[in-house]
Amino acid sequence: MEQGGVGLSFSEAIEQAGDVFHRFPLLEVRGVPLMEPIALNWDSVAAFTPHPSDLLISTYPKAGTTWTQEIVDLLLNNGDADVSKRAPITVRIPFLEIFSPPPIPSGLDLLKEMAPPRVIKTHLPFQLVPEGFWENKCKVIYVARNAKDNLVSYYHFDRMNLTQPEPGPWDGYIHKFMKGNLGWGSWYDHVKGYWREREKKNILYLFYEDMKENPRREIVRIMEYLGLGLSDDVIERVVQLTSFKVMKDNPMANYSFMPKPVFDQSISNFMRKGEVGDWANHFTPEQARMFDEDYAEQMKDTDIPFRSSI
Ligand code: A3P
């Protein structure tokens, strides 16, 4: 499995990197906690200049990034499943700010090897997105997910992602989320930051819940934003190929390519449940009450129409 132009497979690169993976601490960049390797390489991330034809997919972690990446890649390739299986999703759509120990290529290494127009993934909050994206008027798709489901998904992800800080007990994790003490910072600031700027910056602001409710409708919105006019058959194929069930079995999308020292899927699957409302299986009534009260306070200055059930 080639990793961009660097010639090593991901597994080979991990082997050569040696025993370097661990739960990296978080370090703040302009007040936002980021994984240590990202913070230590921040200047080169901030200096990245995209081409005006590049497209950015931005999310708070666990809001439906991979799903949206797969939809976009298929739309850009006329719904051709073979083309979209050409490489792991991390290679097809590089993760702008990610840095791993050498010789594992960083997101910036992969991007250097690709000719525009490129599709780029980020979890950076609005204020940390490299200025070049706005100067060059790049298209940006933002996906937001309701706070409680996003939190649940992040909790299970932090259990299995052995490069992120230990999640600790569930109850404490809820408080970390409320305070923004997780990688990429506060969910509340993240969703509000892009919401405020969506019209000025021509950001397509989508909701995970809308995608679950009517995937076809949201896929058509993405297609139109990309300026594509695909046939009904192709759109239908994209809907099918990006269903949870199909993506869960797609080795180029389900992160089974990520070695166990990084993602230990025996703890929790990357493609875990893919549902709206799973929070109700995790929060006690008391935890939900406390969370909702704090939520009302943190979100009182915005009118983002989140839904935690459909
Ligand atoms: P759960 O943990 O709730 O199952 P990201 O890609 O941003 O890391 O988000 C991962 C979340 O999106 C996981 O949520 C995953 O199951 C869900 N997901 C991925 N592909 C999906 C799809 N095709 N349909 C619905 N949910 C999907």
Side-chain angles (χ1 to χ4, degrees):
M1 180 191 310
E2 294 293 308
Q3 179 85 339
V6 297
L8 287 176
S9 73
F10 199 84
S11 309
E12 283 165 352
I14 297 257
E15 223 165 86
Q16 287 196 20
D19 192 14
V20 288
F21 284 98
H22 57 273
R23 289 182 174 274
F24 297 108
L26 302 177
L27 290 181
E28 288 196 359
V29 171
R30 288 167 51 196
V32 178
L34 298 174
M35 289 165 75
E36 185 182 50
I38 301 175
L40 296 178
N41 289 283
W42 180 250
D43 289 350
S44 50
V45 175
F48 175 75
T49 308
H51 187 266
S53 64
D54 289 337
L55 167 76
L56 188 66
I57 297 176
S58 178
T59 55
Y60 188 75
K62 313 316 290 176
T65 329
T66 316
W67 189 7
T68 310
Q69 287 176 276
E70 194 67 12
I71 290 171
V72 166
D73 192 45
L74 277 160
L75 287 173
L76 292 174
N77 289 294
N78 208 33
D80 187 327
D82 291 335
V83 177
S84 77
K85 286 195 177 141
R86 68 195 179 280
I89 193 71
T90 48
V91 174
R92 286 180 276 148
I93 301 183
F95 187 178
L96 174 65
E97 65 268 25
I98 205 69
F99 270 88
S100 303
I104 299 162
S106 65
L108 296 177
D109 289 336
L110 293 177
L111 285 166
K112 257 185 248 144
E113 304 284 329
M114 293 168 81
R118 299 162 293 188
V119 185
I120 305 171
K121 158 187 165 179
T122 188
H123 289 319
L124 294 173
F126 182 84
Q127 72 275 19
L128 291 187
V129 171
E131 272 304 313
F133 282 96
W134 312 121
E135 284 160 7
N136 286 328
K137 301 197 172 8
C138 294
K139 287 186 181 170
V140 179
I141 298 176
Y142 185 77
V143 186
R145 186 177 192 182
N146 82 77
K148 286 190 288 227
D149 281 332
N150 204 140
L151 188 168
V152 166
S153 185
Y154 209 171
Y155 171 70
H156 289 293
F157 183 62
D158 278 349
R159 291 170 54 230
M160 65 79 108
N161 180 350
L162 305 180
T163 68
Q164 297 245 92
E166 283 277 0
W170 164 245
D171 193 66
Y173 195 85
I174 298 177
H175 286 89
K176 281 191 213 173
F177 183 94
M178 285 164 30
K179 290 191 201 116
N181 288 341
L182 298 174
W184 289 276
S186 161
W187 174 92
Y188 310 85
D189 292 349
H190 210 284
V191 297
K192 286 193 277 187
Y194 284 88
W195 181 255
R196 267 194 299 270
E197 298 288 339
R198 71 193 187 287
E199 280 160 8
K200 251 185 288 164
K201 300 283 197 276
N202 185 28
I203 298 167
L204 180 67
Y205 198 106
L206 302 173
F207 294 94
Y208 181 95
E209 294 74 26
D210 292 348
M211 290 165 66
K212 280 295 291 186
E213 182 178 65
N214 190 338
R216 187 177 215 281
R217 180 188 64 208
E218 300 307 303
I219 286 170
V220 167
R221 288 186 68 197
I222 297 174
M223 177 190 82
E224 286 170 353
Y225 182 72
L226 297 178
L228 300 169
L230 303 173
S231 69
D232 277 357
D233 284 357
V234 172
I235 295 169
E236 193 46 42
R237 211 159 52 231
V238 176
V239 172
Q240 297 309 324
L241 290 168
T242 57
S243 70
F244 181 79
K245 210 167 161 305
V246 171
M247 279 183 60
K248 192 175 169 63
D249 291 335
N250 176 355
M252 294 300 154
N254 66 13
Y255 277 87
S256 54
F257 52 82
M258 198 62 102
K260 212 170 168 182
V262 184
F263 285 2
D264 186 349
Q265 299 211 36
S266 69
I267 299 173
S268 178
N269 283 323
F270 184 88
M271 301 288 295
R272 194 184 59 88
K273 273 200 176 169
E275 285 172 7
V276 177
D278 187 38
W279 63 267
N281 301 316
H282 290 74
F283 284 71
T284 64
E286 180 48 35
Q287 285 168 341
R289 225 181 348 263
M290 178 271 305
F291 186 89
D292 290 347
E293 207 177 297
D294 175 77
Y295 182 95
E297 184 57 30
Q298 295 212 52
M299 298 294 277
K300 68 175 182 223
D301 56 347
T302 190
D303 58 354
I304 314 176
F306 277 111
R307 294 187 290 165
S308 38
S309 61
I310 52 173

